[in-house]
Amino acid sequence: MWAAEDVARATVRRQGEGLDRGQVAAKVAEAARREQETREQLRAPAPVSELDGLREDPERLAAVWAARHTEWRRVAALMEQESWPVYAPEQDVLGSEWAREREAVRDGALARQVAWQKEQRDARDELQAYVWLPADVSRRLRAIVARTGLTPEQLLAQLADQVRLNDNGTLAVDAFAPR
């Protein structure tokens, strides 16, 4: 779901909290080294023995390390520019803005997931029926819905809601006004 840049920004923000300039410089160097290593791994064919298992996609890994390198460099430059002795994510205006955007996207995705799950649960409780009616019944149904402003499905649903089963097994509907 997340782009390599989003993953890198969240990781750097989490790992960088409280690091001084020297430690951030070490993170920049590590990210540069790992970015180079993952690029080289992309160019070199992997032995067949390394292809099995649940390893991360090498292209994705290379993109994440490139994004981390970029983000660590941004943090280092920000610390230098602002003369911060240590990195404080809450003072990083741009990083905080990105974090809020990620949270908003995440919250939206979670809300959509919850709504979809509810829709799926509700759909299990619904009954969808296709009814073939004789021509004369169909004409009466169309005339009633034309007067009431309902759809045929809405009228039939209201009719079904009014039906009661008698002790002898017959169905009965008292007179009612469609709403």
Side-chain angles (χ1 to χ4, degrees), residues 29-158:
E30 177 193 5
R33 181 181 52 79
R34 296 294 298 269
E35 179 184 13
Q36 184 63 31
E37 288 173 358
T38 55
R39 278 192 193 152
E40 290 170 4
Q41 288 174 353
L42 281 178
R43 288 190 289 265
V48 176
S49 62
E50 289 184 18
L51 295 178
D52 58 350
L54 299 175
R55 295 184 20 177
E56 187 170 352
D57 175 23
E59 289 180 10
R60 169 84 174 161
L61 188 59
V64 167
W65 276 108
R68 277 192 193 179
H69 185 205
T70 300
E71 185 62 11
W72 279 118
R73 285 193 325 252
R74 185 191 71 80
V75 167
L78 178 65
M79 288 178 69
E80 183 68 32
Q81 176 186 344
E82 299 293 328
S83 301
W84 292 346
V86 295
Y87 178 67
E90 63 277 358
Q91 290 179 329
D92 182 353
V93 176
L94 187 56
S96 295
E97 182 180 329
W98 287 334
R100 281 190 299 277
E101 288 173 4
R102 277 192 308 279
E103 275 301 308
V105 168
R106 181 181 167 276
D107 291 347
L110 289 175
R112 286 189 301 279
Q113 175 71 15
V114 167
W116 179 82
Q117 288 173 338
K118 182 183 181 318
E119 187 178 296
Q120 296 303 305
R121 282 191 306 273
D122 291 348
R124 285 189 287 247
D125 294 337
E126 290 179 2
L127 171 66
Q128 293 186 1
Y130 296 96
V131 181
W132 294 93
L133 301 172
D136 62 325
V137 174
S138 179
R139 279 191 293 277
R140 282 186 291 175
L141 179 63
R142 281 195 294 265
I144 294 169
V145 298
R147 286 192 307 249
T148 62
L150 299 171
T151 66
E153 294 84 5
Q154 291 170 325
L155 180 64
L156 290 174
Q158 289 183 23

Side-chain angles (χ1 to χ4, degrees), residues 4-34:
E5 291 78 12
D6 292 320
V7 172
R9 290 171 183 157
T11 301
V12 169
R13 196 169 165 80
R14 186 179 61 252
Q15 290 178 356
E17 186 169 7
L19 297 183
D20 62 29
R21 290 185 197 173
Q23 292 168 315
V24 169
K27 290 287 192 178
V28 171
E30 177 193 5
R33 181 181 52 79
R34 296 294 298 269

